């Protein structure tokens, strides 16, 4: 906490007086057993063992809210982004009533709060999965990154993986469900021999390894233009947002766009994946997603069919 606050002060994001006030609210303790009476515990355990220790030491009647790991039954989940945005959800319906209390605590700490279930992880997984399929189809990892950054993204998906590291990326993708795709898994293996994911993507063996991967999958590679790369990436990035809105796991399209900006560096002037979905149009989006299913992408959510049937946009339906 202290390191994060010092960095925020140094970058001008936090006033020194606010830092002092935050510390004045804290009573440090050395172990969970010393928490004392409380009704809400917010934690970011560094390991499964630490998470289990927290659960055992939870005061009677207290609710546990977990950040950075999946909550269990009767617990709350928090997805925090680097831009002070948090998505919160209840793992089971019996804890829905506790969400306003958690939101109030996070807002008191200067966070913006939306209600959405594991949205950051699912958006990231869709983004990386789409990039994986672009490379399998024939694009180079560097070409995918270049297309997205020229369009306005803060970084490309493969640059993000190189920054996070293969192990951390794999853990996040596994938490979201699908796990790493074949391209990311192959580049991670190459990276182990070359000192990191950057070496795995640019090393002499990368092109040969990707060619072998395509041959094994029966894929004849073709050149993808920047326009096609962007169209594929935006379509697949819209899919988890539409699915979350369809199931009620995200309440507003604008919340999904906020999280995409905060978590993925989606360019603010471009709105977000839901805004772009409306610009693409439901019919064209469904056609693109259906074509990508053959390459392993998730099928279009039924919400797209409803939008086409009713002649609506996301903005018109949910505002």
């Amino acid at each position: 906490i202290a390191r994060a606050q010092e960095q925020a002060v140094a970058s001008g994001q936090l006033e020194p007086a606010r830092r002092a006030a935050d510390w004045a609210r804290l009573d440090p303790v050395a172990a969970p057993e010393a928490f004392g009476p409380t009704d809400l515990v917010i934690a970011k355990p560094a390991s499964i063992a630490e998470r289990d220790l927290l659960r055992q030491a939870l005061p009677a009647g207290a609710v546990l809210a977990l950040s950075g790991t999946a909550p269990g039954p009767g617990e709350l989940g928090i997805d925090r982004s680097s831009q002070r945005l948090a998505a919160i959800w209840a793992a089971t319906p019996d804890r829905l009533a506790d969400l306003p209390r958690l939101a109030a605590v996070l807002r008191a700490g200067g966070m913006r709060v939306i209600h959405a279930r594991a949205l950051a992880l699912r958006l990231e997984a869709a983004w990386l999965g789409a990039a994986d399929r672009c490379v399998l189809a024939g694009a180079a990892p560097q070409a995918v990154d270049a297309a997205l950054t020229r369009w306005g993204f803060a970084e490309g998906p493969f640059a993000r993986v190189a920054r996070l590291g293969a192990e951390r990326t794999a853990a996040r993708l596994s938490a979201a469900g699908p796990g790493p795709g074949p391209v990311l898994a192959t580049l991670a293996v190459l990276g182990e021999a070359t000192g990191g994911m950057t070496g795995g993507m640019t090393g002499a063996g990368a092109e040969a390894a990707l060619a072998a991967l395509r041959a094994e999958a029966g894929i004849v590679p073709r050149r993808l233009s920047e326009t096609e790369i962007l169209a594929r990436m935006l379509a697949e990035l819209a899919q988890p947002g539409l699915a979350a809105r369809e199931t009620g796991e995200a309440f507003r399209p604008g919340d999904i766009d906020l999280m995409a900006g905060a978590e993925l560096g989606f360019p603010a002037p471009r709105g977000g994946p839901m805004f772009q979905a409306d610009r693409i149009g439901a019919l064209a989006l469904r056609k693109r997603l259906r074509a990508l299913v053959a390459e392993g992408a998730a099928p279009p959510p039924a919400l797209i069919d409803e939008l086409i049937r009713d002649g609506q946009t996301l903005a018109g339906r949910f505002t």
Side-chain angles (χ1 to χ4, degrees):
I1 294 173
R3 282 194 297 270
Q5 286 186 322
E6 291 301 332
Q7 290 169 1
V9 170
S11 64
Q13 296 177 316
L14 182 67
E15 293 293 329
R18 176 59 182 270
R19 173 191 57 191
D22 284 347
W23 275 108
R25 297 165 52 214
L26 299 178
D27 285 323
V29 296
E33 292 80 3
F35 281 168
T38 185
D39 56 2
L40 177 65
V41 175
I42 300 173
K44 186 177 183 179
S47 65
I48 293 175
E50 189 173 289
R51 181 201 63 192
D52 292 342
L53 176 63
L54 283 166
R55 286 172 172 166
Q56 293 166 13
L58 200 67
V63 178
L64 181 60
L66 292 172
S67 176
T69 189
E75 297 173 350
L76 306 180
I78 309 172
D79 273 341
R80 297 174 189 257
S81 80
S82 59
Q83 297 187 18
R84 302 192 68 77
L85 175 68
I88 61 175
W89 75 97
T92 45
D94 58 306
R95 289 301 180 192
L96 286 172
D98 295 301
L99 287 174
R101 184 160 40 121
L102 175 59
V105 172
L106 294 173
R107 289 189 179 111
M111 299 289 292
R112 294 178 296 165
V113 180
I114 62 174
H115 288 201
R117 183 183 180 88
L119 184 58
L121 288 175
R122 284 189 285 178
L123 287 171
E124 183 181 54
W127 196 52
L128 296 179
D132 208 278
R133 278 179 278 278
C134 281
V135 172
L136 267 183
Q142 297 87 344
V144 176
D145 280 3
L148 291 172
T149 53
R150 273 197 278 267
W151 196 69
F153 273 87
E155 64 180 349
F158 292 100
R160 182 186 186 90
V161 171
R163 175 172 58 82
L164 293 177
E167 185 176 352
R168 187 177 173 193
T169 300
R172 290 177 64 82
L173 287 173
S174 296
V183 170
L184 286 179
T186 299
L187 295 177
V189 171
L190 288 172
E192 290 179 3
T194 55
M197 284 293 292
T198 301
M201 285 184 277
T202 59
E207 189 172 339
L210 291 175
L213 191 64
R214 292 166 182 144
E216 183 181 354
I219 296 171
V220 178
R222 57 189 178 84
R223 183 183 176 276
L224 270 60
S225 67
E226 282 202 2
T227 300
E228 185 169 359
I229 289 171
L230 282 168
R232 292 168 64 108
M233 296 292 295
L234 290 174
E236 289 208 50
L237 195 50
Q239 199 279 342
L242 289 164
R245 179 44 267 179
E246 181 179 84
T247 60
E249 292 177 310
F251 295 116
R252 292 178 293 270
D255 287 347
I256 299 164
D257 287 346
L258 270 177
M259 184 56 78
E263 185 64 25
L264 301 180
F266 198 106
R270 307 278 189 181
M274 298 295 92
F275 179 82
Q276 288 296 322
D278 275 348
R279 288 198 67 188
I280 295 166
L283 194 60
L285 180 61
R286 184 178 67 179
K287 182 179 179 181
R288 172 71 65 174
L289 286 173
R290 282 178 172 175
L292 289 169
V293 168
E295 299 180 29
L303 176 58
I304 297 183
D305 296 330
E306 295 176 16
L307 293 174
I308 294 170
R309 181 196 66 203
D310 299 335
Q312 290 184 310
T313 63
L314 285 163
R317 189 180 184 95
F318 297 111
T319 56

